[in-house]
Amino acid sequence: MRKPLMAGNWKMNKTVAEAVSVVKALKSSIADVTDVEVLICPTFTALYAVNNEVKGSNINIGAQNLFWEPKGAFTGEISPTMVKDTGCSYVLIGHSERRQYFNETDETVNKKTKAALVAGLIPVICIGETLKEREQNITFKVIEKQIKEGLAGLTPQQAETIVIAYEPVWAIGTGKTATPDQAQEVHAFTRKVYSQMYGDASQKVRILYGGSVNPTNVSDLMKQPDIDGGLVGGASLEAESFTKLVKYSK
Ligand code: PEP
């Protein structure tokens, strides 16, 4: 049985005080939740303070990125050990905004994934097609390449530990959600590719859907057999709406 994971990606939003105030509210509004795992990914600058606030609660924290080298002359970068040191258990890797604006590729995703695993972090690897790719009918081809190259060299045991987030680029921050059927189709395909690469790990890996998830569409998405949770931007920024997502089945 895969435990659902509801993850909030705060992107480049919130000062330290704002971030702490939202997790404080969230901590009490979801204190009774045990059937869904909860993850918040604030900016680097808020990680330490947010971790102090969530200690002992059911909220996990993750970073939105890392660099693959352990240390050295890489001005502006943050190592996997530094991320772990702030209290993170997860890290987002290869979000489409990183691929689009910061030239991340499947090769850099692969390096970051391996470095995160070495540091004891669980990578949440983001994959997804652009609108143009969907219109050209090459969605499956794009997804297969992202999985095969992004995960190259992982052991089956590592492959079942990580999390995949399918986020169609055309649905991120646009208010256009994939229909539950569209999302399910790609999730099932992802699991099929996974099973060819890693056998049984395909039944254990959690595959999240991301792209304009909100309190209204979450329960239909979560009813799909291969959707194991959400990676949520906009609707994770306030405690009230994120609580509704975490409590989607209530
Ligand atoms: C995201 O940040 O990964 C995302 C899916 O954003 P939104 O929910 O705002 O579309």
Side-chain angles (χ1 to χ4, degrees), residues 71-93:
K71 64 177 176 179
F74 303 102
T75 302
E77 293 297 329
I78 314 266
S79 79
T81 312
M82 290 166 185
V83 167
K84 181 82 180 164
D85 190 41
T86 61
C88 286
S89 43
Y90 286 85
V91 59
L92 305 182
I93 295 181

Side-chain angles (χ1 to χ4, degrees), residues 20 66 86 96 101 103 111 118 122 130 184:
V20 169
L66 47 59
T86 61
S96 71
Y101 304 126
N103 303 320
K111 286 184 175 174
V118 168
I122 302 173
T130 62
Q184 167 58 26

Side-chain angles (χ1 to χ4, degrees), residues 31-230:
D32 56 334
V33 173
T34 54
D35 53 346
V36 174
E37 193 179 342
V38 178
L39 170 64
I40 293 289
C41 301
T43 55
F44 284 125
T45 50
L47 283 172
Y48 186 79
V50 167
N51 183 49
N52 280 338
E53 190 59 44
V54 302
K55 265 183 202 154
S57 77
N58 56 356
I59 302 174
N60 298 285
I61 62 164
Q64 298 172 16
N65 182 29
L66 47 59
F67 189 51
W68 56 80
E69 290 291 344
K71 64 177 176 179
F74 303 102
T75 302
E77 293 297 329
I78 314 266
S79 79
T81 312
M82 290 166 185
V83 167
K84 181 82 180 164
D85 190 41
T86 61
C88 286
S89 43
Y90 286 85
V91 59
L92 305 182
I93 295 181
H95 189 281
S96 71
E97 287 150 17
R98 303 243 20 118
R99 293 179 190 254
Q100 188 180 348
Y101 304 126
F102 304 99
N103 303 320
E104 294 204 6
T105 61
D106 294 324
E107 195 186 341
T108 62
V109 166
N110 186 248
K111 286 184 175 174
K112 290 182 178 196
T113 299
K114 287 176 174 165
L117 286 163
V118 168
L121 293 160
I122 302 173
V124 179
I125 301 171
C126 304
I127 58 173
E129 82 287 3
T130 62
L131 182 59
K132 194 167 164 216
E133 289 162 344
R134 178 160 280 264
E135 285 171 351
Q136 288 171 341
N137 271 325
I138 56 168
T139 297
F140 286 170
K141 199 172 147 202
V142 170
I143 296 295
E144 186 165 1
K145 178 179 179 295
Q146 289 174 337
I147 298 170
K148 289 198 165 151
E149 295 183 9
L151 274 60
L154 261 58
T155 64
Q157 218 226 317
Q158 289 173 323
E160 73 178 52
T161 323
I162 67 171
V163 175
I164 302 289
Y166 167 58
E167 301 203 296
V169 179
W170 48 272
I172 299 178
T174 58
K176 277 189 214 159
T177 327
T179 63
D181 287 347
Q182 280 174 323
Q184 167 58 26
E185 187 184 31
V186 180
H187 281 235
F189 176 76
T190 300
R191 225 178 275 291
K192 190 173 117 196
V193 173
Y194 230 81
S195 101
Q196 288 158 0
M197 291 172 76
Y198 298 114
D200 287 351
S202 63
Q203 293 310 307
K204 296 186 179 147
V205 66
R206 288 180 294 182
I207 308 175
L208 315 183
Y209 169 77
S212 300
V213 176
N214 62 44
T216 311
N217 59 29
V218 66
S219 66
D220 282 343
L221 287 161
M222 291 302 292
K223 277 182 197 140
Q224 300 302 311
D226 288 298
I227 299 185
D228 305 314

Side-chain angles (χ1 to χ4, degrees), residues 19-30:
V20 169
S21 147
V22 174
V23 285
K24 202 174 242 179
L26 194 60
K27 212 166 65 169
S28 70
S29 63
I30 63 162

